[in-house]
Amino acid sequence: MPQLVYRRYGGSLQVDIPDFNTLIEAVRIPATQWMALACPLEGIACDPRFLSLMDSDGNNRIRVEELRGAVDWTAARLADRKGADAGSDVLELSALSATASKLQGAAELVLRTLQATDTTRLSLEQLRTSDKALRDAGKNGDGIIAPTSLPDRLRPLAQAIIAAFPAVTNRAGLVGVDVALVQRFRAERTALLAHLAGRDAVFTWGATSLEQAKRVHEVAPLLDGYFVQCRLVAAQPEAAASLRLRAERVEGALGDLGAMGKAAGELPIAAPDPSGVLVWSKLYRGPGYEKLEAFHQEVATPLLGDGVKLTDTAWRELSAKAEAILGWQAKRDSSALHAVADTLATVSDEELDALESASREDLSLKGTLDVIAELERLVLYQRWLLLFANNFISMPSLYLPRMRALMEKGSLILGGRKYTLSVLVTDRASHSALTGQGTTCILYVKVMPKDGADGYEVAVPVTSGRSTDLVVGKRGVFYDVDGKEHDAIVTQVIRQPVSLWEAMTMPFMRIGSFITSKVEGLAASGDKDFNASLETGYKQTVTAQPPPAAPAAAPAAAPAGAGLAGVLAAGGIAFAALGSALAFILTQVKSLTLVDVITAATILAIVVMAPAGLLGWMKLRRRNLALLLEGSGWALNDRLILTPGVARLITRRPKLPKGSRVDRSDLVRGALRHAQDDDEAESMSPWARLGLTLVVLFVLGWQVRTPVTEWLCTYNWLSDDTCRMLLPRLVPTALPGTPDAAGTATPAAPAPAPAK
């Protein structure tokens, strides 16, 4: 019995399952020590047939007990488990245990069917090829034989049986016959032949008996009604008056063809005779007259030999024979074999026995063919069971860079980085609702195959780098587990800090975004107001009509100039406000040293970044990949902690190829220089740029001239004569150390200490 070893992967303690013998013991540990308790069939990168065999209850999920049952079933049938350790899809027949003798026989049958040269081993491909070969040979093990698998002499009979009864389909999907169907054919054939044998006793009118019987059946309601009326009149003669139309009924129907036809339809076919005799010449010309007259001429007279009258007794005998004929025909037509009734006599019992024998021979293979299905189960379990357990009981593949977990869908290349982990998402709303509760940045990416197949969506964790450039609509390339390339587009971002630096700088980015949005809003608003002012001034200029009597007053009343002047005045005021603000800033800063400025900036950065960094550090420590899998339907016992090392493995920027060299020169600058030499310059000349710069500097200097001059004079950067010359003209205050209006000298500021 191997000793179980628990190893730590990224902070998670997991049992190590290196081989199948260890797996037999590992499935016995408590379920609370398993990494997963259940998983969906969707999104698992292994053979779909293996997953369907594992799902014993058919609920599209694999649970703990189903995995345990699969391991026990496989262990009982493999004496040598080296193939299971290697995950091989080739079964060595010598590896089968003594309890797998039926599997041994099934494997030999498959190898014989395929005429394989090596009879000591059987592959999964051979198994699936043999399944088709056995089906093509008509060997299904279900006893249902398709006509194509029968000898030529039996095919017409088999096709007749198939046409007569509900179809039965074999494992190959072909319609055929089985023992039950042949036996039912025997019983139906015997009954129908016995029924056909009594035809002559019923068809007493010869070859036209069926047609004559149908004619009798057509007029039966009219004649039955007439002879009943005859019996009524015979028993109560006064009833004859009630069988006639009253005069008022006839008068009321005059002129109305519909009413007259309805009234005539209520009359008997002839005057009722108490003796029960119908004289054909006394028929009323009612609605049924033509039908009765044709019956008289074509049926009654030839069959009865009396063309003058029809008695009640003769009619009842005629009707009884007709009903017997129709009843016999109805029973024949109700038989499942009525379509081949005329050829049933040619079917021999030997042919039916041959069909039954072929069906029983195929049915005798049922046990062997069922074992072949179990043989496929064993090969699939040998190939996938150990690997599946290492993605269910333990999950080391999530933490090892050279291994790919079964739940992974592929790798994403986006924005210069490679994201190696992705899981299938079938319901993004519920998945994002769960991952949004965590602290991991998640991308939802729509994968669009190039071959026209249906697209699917994956969830990709972002574990390193920066998340600010990841936005909805960004495109990349996705490589699935088979290495196929597909287009990919980001559909949703669950944004969280990806690194400690990003967490610390995120407040500044938010502040910058806020200020940028406000400035852009103010600029847009100002631009709108300026355009509105220009539009108003233009309209006033166009619509203004100067009065002819007072031409001297026209300049004062011109609204257009006033509007433009107002705009320029507003611009000047805004510029002056900007200069005043700059002057205030310089006034405040002049009292600070460089050390004070650096200290203030450092304190501000610490105040903002320290709480954000602490909060980001706590979020990064709590990053958990379990939410990523649980959103896709997995039931997990433990957290899948995302350590810094694992984070760098999942999201990384590949290095440059080994031996490559980076050329630091910027080729664009050289290209621009050549373009400037070849093209005509359209930008400002250097002298124009210098002039514009001097104008801007002069305007800014003029706005801050007073505080700058005071500062220069305060620290003796200018001579006393220069300060006395400049300041009285600029401000109404005296310089330090100069007498004021009262003759009192303003104390001078201490001179700065000499530099050491």
Side-chain angles (χ1 to χ4, degrees):
M1 179 183 300
Q3 182 183 13
L4 295 180
V5 178
Y6 286 81
R7 302 185 185 278
R8 190 169 296 280
Y9 294 93
S12 176
L13 194 63
Q14 304 178 21
V15 63
D16 188 28
I17 312 176
D19 51 49
F20 195 84
N21 290 330
T22 305
L23 175 60
I24 297 174
E25 299 301 322
V27 294
R28 298 299 166 204
I29 65 176
T32 54
Q33 297 177 13
W34 292 37
M35 289 300 296
L37 298 174
C39 73
L41 301 188
E42 291 182 307
I44 307 297
C46 60
D47 195 298
R49 177 63 177 162
F50 164 76
L51 296 175
S52 64
L53 291 173
M54 288 285 292
D55 182 22
S56 58
D57 57 4
N59 67 341
N60 293 323
R61 293 180 65 81
I62 298 176
R63 296 172 290 102
V64 171
E65 292 303 322
E66 289 174 330
L67 180 54
R68 285 175 174 168
V71 171
D72 293 342
W73 186 90
T74 307
R77 287 158 179 79
L78 286 180
D80 186 352
R81 292 146 188 175
K82 293 180 181 178
D85 295 342
S88 174
D89 60 357
V90 178
L91 176 66
E92 299 289 342
L93 301 188
S94 59
L96 295 173
S97 64
T99 59
S101 58
K102 292 184 178 180
L103 293 177
Q104 180 88 23
E108 293 173 353
L109 173 62
V110 170
L111 293 172
R112 286 196 305 271
T113 303
L114 297 176
Q115 299 178 354
T117 57
D118 187 357
T119 59
T120 62
R121 56 209 314 261
L122 180 67
S123 68
L124 181 61
E125 181 181 0
Q126 286 177 314
L127 264 174
R128 291 177 172 173
T129 303
S130 69
D131 183 73
K132 183 178 183 303
L134 290 170
R135 301 292 185 265
D136 293 342
K139 298 177 180 179
N140 300 289
D142 52 13
I144 302 174
I145 309 298
T148 55
S149 303
L150 292 169
D152 293 341
R153 65 184 183 86
L154 297 178
R155 289 181 184 176
L157 177 57
Q159 291 170 347
I161 295 175
I162 292 172
F165 299 105
V168 289
T169 306
N170 59 20
R171 291 178 179 175
L174 301 176
V175 178
V177 297
D178 58 3
V179 174
L181 211 58
V182 174
Q183 290 177 349
R184 182 178 177 184
F185 180 84
R186 283 181 185 273
E188 292 281 351
R189 170 176 168 269
T190 301
L192 185 55
L193 287 176
H195 182 67
L196 293 175
R199 181 179 185 277
D200 294 339
V202 178
F203 280 54
T204 57
W205 297 334
T208 61
S209 296
L210 183 59
E211 293 300 324
Q212 300 288 33
K214 291 179 180 179
R215 298 286 297 274
V216 172
H217 184 72
E218 288 178 359
V219 299
L222 297 174
L223 294 176
D224 284 341
Y226 172 77
F227 287 112
V228 168
Q229 293 168 352
C230 291
R231 290 172 181 268
L232 179 61
V233 171
Q236 192 174 359
E238 61 272 15
S242 300
L243 298 175
R244 300 186 182 95
L245 288 177
R246 295 184 180 87
E248 59 272 14
R249 177 71 184 277
V250 175
E251 292 176 358
L254 292 176
D256 189 346
L257 294 179
M260 292 177 64
K262 184 177 180 181
E266 296 175 359
L267 291 173
I269 61 175
D273 188 348
S275 62
V277 176
L278 174 62
V279 179
W280 293 110
S281 60
K282 296 183 178 181
L283 286 174
Y284 291 158
R285 289 186 173 272
Y289 175 78
E290 288 78 7
K291 183 188 295 185
L292 288 171
E293 186 61 30
F295 173 77
H296 162 228
Q297 299 292 337
E298 300 170 5
V299 180
T301 299
L303 295 180
L304 299 177
D306 186 354
V308 178
K309 63 182 183 301
L310 176 64
T311 64
D312 190 0
T313 303
W315 165 247
R316 283 189 281 110
E317 292 177 355
L318 191 68
S319 179
K321 289 181 179 181
E323 292 300 324
I325 294 171
L326 294 176
W328 184 94
Q329 186 66 29
K331 185 175 181 180
R332 176 194 180 278
D333 293 343
S334 65
S335 173
L337 304 179
H338 71 277
V340 293
D342 297 337
T343 61
L344 284 180
T346 63
V347 178
S348 64
D349 291 335
E350 289 77 12
E351 291 176 329
L352 296 176
D353 292 340
L355 284 179
E356 287 190 16
S357 176
S359 177
R360 288 193 174 93
E361 181 182 355
D362 182 74
L363 195 60
S364 65
L365 297 175
K366 181 179 185 303
T368 303
L369 295 178
D370 287 345
V371 174
I372 291 178
E374 294 299 295
L375 195 60
E376 182 186 14
R377 177 193 296 266
L378 180 61
V379 177
L380 285 171
Y381 282 4
Q382 175 182 273
R383 167 65 181 88
W384 293 102
L385 206 51
L386 181 62
L387 181 59
F388 181 82
N390 273 293
N391 287 266
F392 194 91
I393 302 175
S394 298
M395 294 183 178
S397 301
L398 280 176
Y399 298 91
L400 300 179
R402 298 185 181 274
M403 299 179 64
R404 185 176 289 279
L406 291 182
M407 68 284 296
E408 296 183 36
K409 291 296 292 182
S411 301
L412 175 68
I413 308 297
L414 183 75
R417 294 188 182 273
K418 182 178 182 179
Y419 304 88
T420 59
L421 177 61
S422 62
V423 298
L424 180 67
V425 174
T426 56
D427 185 357
R428 174 156 50 101
S430 59
H431 194 284
S432 60
L434 184 62
T435 55
Q437 301 175 14
T439 59
T440 306
C441 181
I442 304 293
L443 294 180
Y444 290 93
V445 179
K446 180 72 172 180
V447 179
M448 297 163 288
K450 297 180 179 179
D451 56 2
D454 294 336
Y456 54 89
E457 200 163 28
V458 295
V460 180
V462 181
T463 57
S464 64
R466 295 189 66 86
S467 66
T468 52
D469 296 333
L470 303 176
V471 294
V472 174
K474 191 175 183 64
R475 290 183 175 270
V477 175
F478 187 82
Y479 293 91
D480 60 19
V481 292
D482 297 326
K484 296 181 180 179
E485 184 184 62
H486 310 290
D487 291 325
I489 183 171
V490 178
T491 56
Q492 184 179 348
V493 181
I494 304 295
R495 200 173 300 281
Q496 294 288 350
V498 174
S499 63
L500 183 60
W501 176 252
E502 184 177 29
M504 296 172 66
T505 57
M506 191 169 287
F508 295 102
M509 296 178 64
R510 291 175 179 173
I511 293 172
S513 299
F514 175 79
I515 293 175
T516 301
S517 63
K518 292 301 181 182
V519 170
E520 289 177 352
L522 290 174
S525 177
D527 185 65
K528 183 178 179 181
D529 293 341
F530 182 73
N531 290 336
S533 300
L534 290 179
E535 182 69 21
T536 302
Y538 172 76
K539 290 181 178 180
Q540 291 175 351
T541 302
V542 172
T543 57
Q545 297 294 334
L564 182 60
V567 172
L568 296 177
I573 293 173
F575 195 78
L578 180 62
S580 300
L582 182 61
F584 175 76
I585 294 174
L586 291 175
T587 303
Q588 298 299 320
V589 171
K590 70 181 181 180
S591 61
L592 300 176
T593 64
L594 180 61
V595 176
D596 294 336
V597 174
I598 296 175
T599 302
T602 303
I603 293 174
L604 178 62
I606 292 175
V607 169
V608 175
M609 297 176 68
L614 178 61
L615 182 61
W617 177 77
M618 295 175 62
K619 285 186 175 182
L620 293 174
R621 283 182 57 86
R622 294 200 310 268
R623 286 190 296 181
N624 180 15
L625 291 178
L627 294 178
L628 190 73
L629 296 179
E630 289 173 347
S632 295
W634 285 71
L636 300 179
N637 265 328
D638 197 3
R639 297 180 300 167
L640 299 176
I641 298 300
L642 191 61
T643 62
V646 175
R648 288 191 295 271
L649 291 176
I650 293 177
T651 304
R652 58 180 183 266
R653 185 187 295 275
K655 294 182 179 179
L656 296 177
K658 187 176 181 180
S660 59
R661 183 176 62 86
V662 178
D663 187 359
R664 301 294 181 181
S665 61
D666 192 346
L667 300 180
V668 177
R669 293 182 179 178
L672 290 177
R673 284 196 297 269
H674 288 299
Q676 291 174 355
D677 294 339
D678 297 338
D679 299 338
E680 181 180 355
E682 297 181 0
S683 59
M684 297 176 62
S685 64
W687 291 106
R689 294 178 183 176
L690 178 61
L692 179 62
T693 303
L694 292 177
V695 170
V696 172
L697 291 177
F698 174 77
V699 173
L700 292 177
W702 183 261
Q703 296 294 328
V704 298
R705 63 190 186 282
T706 301
V708 171
T709 303
E710 288 182 354
W711 184 76
L712 293 175
C713 292
T714 300
Y715 291 98
N716 297 327
W717 290 96
L718 298 175
S719 64
D720 293 343
D721 295 338
T722 303
C723 293
R724 290 189 186 93
M725 179 181 63
L726 293 176
L727 285 177
R729 291 187 301 170
L730 298 176
V731 294
T733 57
L735 285 173
T738 59
D740 56 9
T744 304
T746 304
K756 295 182 180 181

